[in-house]
Amino acid sequence: MTVSMLGDGIYFVAIAWQVYELSNAPTALSAVGVAWTLPMVLFLLLGGVVSDRLERRRVLIAADVVRGIAIAAIGVLSVTGALELWHLIVIVAIYGVGEAFFGPAFGAIVPQLVPPTLLVEANSLNQVVRPLAHRLVGPALGGWLIAAVGIGEAFLVDAASFAVSAAALALMQARPLDRSEAGEPSALREAVEGLRFVRSQTWLWGTLLAASVAVAAFWGPVEVLVPYIVKNDLGGGADDLGLVFAAGGLGAVVAAPVLAQRGLPRRRITFMYVVWTLATAVIAGYGVATALWQAMLVSFVSGATAAAGLVVWATLMQTLVPGRLLGRVQSVDWLVSIGLVPVSFAATGPLAEAIGHDETLIWAGAVSGVVTLAFLFLPGMRDPERAAVGRYAAESATS
């Protein structure tokens, strides 16, 4: 995962810079973003069912192979000078399908690898390694590679990272599901079972709905307009864009170990929503930034607070969701959380042209922050933490 996330960090910078080299317009990157995320959304439920029916390690390997081939194709076309915008749109769609299978399988395999008593530490480690590679070292390396050798070569390095990831997974011991965990033979019935469980848990469906709306508000503006601002308003290059994204990774790397050492707060859901509110609201800072260091500061704060919330969220999922349903619930998590991302990408370009790119980012932070905080007060949202606090008080009274 570390090597694969490193490659993804390179991709994060390279795809934005490549699109703006082909067409220096936010609408072009919006179109590529829609092509990438729409297939991912469409295939997520199937990805969750597959990860609960087949050995998850094999699902991860297959997803790595598909994504590696797709990125390698972009790299070859870019190096040879044959790459056009429509090539990117088609290839990133294939890449998105691979991600739809990788995400649920990866989240669901963690409890198979780690004992329950170490899940908080494991999720904190994940929230160190992932941003360290994906948001810190990867983007910085990607910006440097683009400046030093070229965009196409950066894509080829990313493609090689998937080969390393698949090889590492192949070396792992096979971890087949027990027959008792395999579920009914009907894939549709299994998908419905996962959806019913999500619907029965307010903390689960409420948080997914909150994430869906908030992500729709900020995802497209950040992915599309931050690279545009760095390139056109702040006068930066690909290496500078890499540093802005890397600052968010640094924030996550700082925050996650703190939670690992201190442990989760007793009021976990409240804590999660407060830090996520800050993580989204601060995005408005991109719209008023006049220097690269200011954009880096916004990225740092957002990355740190988002990572803190994700550690809590992952631990809640892995402790409160039955293991036999975890792959399907993970896929529902992905589906609902990013279900409106294609819409966010599609709306960003026209909205930026209508009201301005700075104003779009300011509104993105304001709307996503308000929406996130509002869902904390949904009736029943904090029931699991109230039960946990009650158990803690009872144990303290008897000890």
Side-chain angles (χ1 to χ4, degrees):
M1 185 195 72
T2 302
V3 176
S4 181
M5 288 290 107
L6 187 70
D8 286 350
I10 296 172
Y11 170 84
F12 197 48
V13 176
I15 193 67
W17 215 254
Q18 181 67 83
V19 171
Y20 282 133
E21 286 292 313
L22 295 173
S23 175
N24 191 33
T27 50
L29 188 52
S30 291
V32 171
V34 172
W36 163 43
T37 55
L38 184 58
M40 182 164 54
V41 170
L42 294 176
F43 281 88
L44 270 172
L45 282 181
L46 178 60
V49 171
V50 169
S51 70
D52 279 345
R53 292 169 68 93
L54 303 179
E55 186 198 346
R56 287 159 181 161
R57 183 182 62 97
R58 293 185 182 275
V59 176
L60 294 171
I61 292 172
D64 272 340
V65 171
V66 170
R67 294 184 298 166
I69 292 174
I71 297 300
I74 296 177
V76 170
L77 289 171
S78 180
V79 168
T80 59
L83 185 65
E84 298 181 18
L85 190 61
W86 73 267
H87 291 142
L88 280 179
I89 290 173
V90 171
I91 296 172
V92 298
I94 298 171
Y95 180 78
V97 173
E99 288 206 302
F101 286 83
F102 187 90
F106 182 81
I109 203 174
V110 173
Q112 289 183 279
L113 305 175
V114 180
T117 54
L118 292 177
L119 278 177
V120 173
E121 290 84 350
N123 290 320
S124 295
L125 177 62
N126 182 27
Q127 289 304 319
V128 171
V129 171
R130 184 179 294 271
L132 178 65
H134 188 201
R135 292 287 188 172
L136 179 56
V137 180
L141 178 60
W144 177 83
L145 282 171
I146 293 169
V149 295
I151 303 177
E153 288 80 358
F155 280 117
L156 292 176
V157 172
D158 181 18
S161 74
F162 288 108
V164 175
S165 175
L169 289 163
L171 290 172
M172 288 173 57
Q173 181 181 355
R175 299 173 188 275
L177 294 175
D178 294 336
R179 288 186 179 273
S180 60
E181 293 183 347
E184 297 294 332
S186 168
L188 178 60
R189 188 178 302 176
E190 289 187 349
V192 171
E193 185 182 11
L195 289 170
R196 284 176 177 168
F197 179 81
V198 171
R199 190 177 62 181
S200 70
Q201 306 292 316
T202 302
W203 69 271
L204 191 48
W205 68 259
T207 300
L208 295 182
L209 184 57
S212 179
V213 178
V215 167
F218 76 76
W219 190 291
V222 170
E223 297 281 341
V224 172
L225 298 179
V226 171
Y228 182 85
I229 286 173
V230 170
K231 184 176 188 291
N232 294 281
D233 294 354
L234 303 182
D239 50 348
D240 296 308
L241 177 61
L243 291 176
V244 171
F245 288 149
L250 179 61
V253 169
V254 170
V258 173
L259 274 181
Q261 292 295 320
R262 296 177 61 89
L264 298 185
R266 288 199 295 273
R267 298 190 180 278
R268 298 176 180 181
I269 293 176
T270 299
F271 173 84
M272 180 176 71
Y273 269 85
V274 169
V275 294
W276 276 350
T277 297
L278 180 57
T280 52
V282 76
I283 289 169
Y286 286 121
V288 297
T290 57
L292 283 168
W293 71 265
Q294 295 170 353
M296 292 172 65
L297 180 61
V298 171
S299 181
F300 178 88
V301 174
S302 183
T305 47
L310 284 171
V311 171
V312 178
W313 175 247
T315 305
L316 287 173
M317 288 276 283
Q318 293 162 2
T319 54
L320 299 181
V321 177
R324 67 183 183 83
L325 294 173
L326 191 53
R328 280 162 282 175
V329 174
Q330 289 278 355
S331 71
V332 175
D333 178 3
W334 277 62
L335 175 63
V336 178
S337 297
I338 68 170
L340 295 178
V341 167
V343 177
S344 182
F345 271 116
T348 296
L351 188 61
E353 290 183 358
I355 68 173
H357 49 267
D358 289 337
E359 290 77 6
T360 300
L361 283 164
I362 292 170
W363 276 105
V367 172
S368 56
V370 169
V371 167
T372 300
L373 185 61
F375 271 83
L376 174 61
F377 302 99
L378 189 70
M381 172 63 73
R382 288 175 281 180
D383 285 352
E385 77 176 20
R386 292 188 180 110
V389 170
R391 287 194 301 270
Y392 177 81
E395 292 170 358
S396 300
T398 56
S399 61

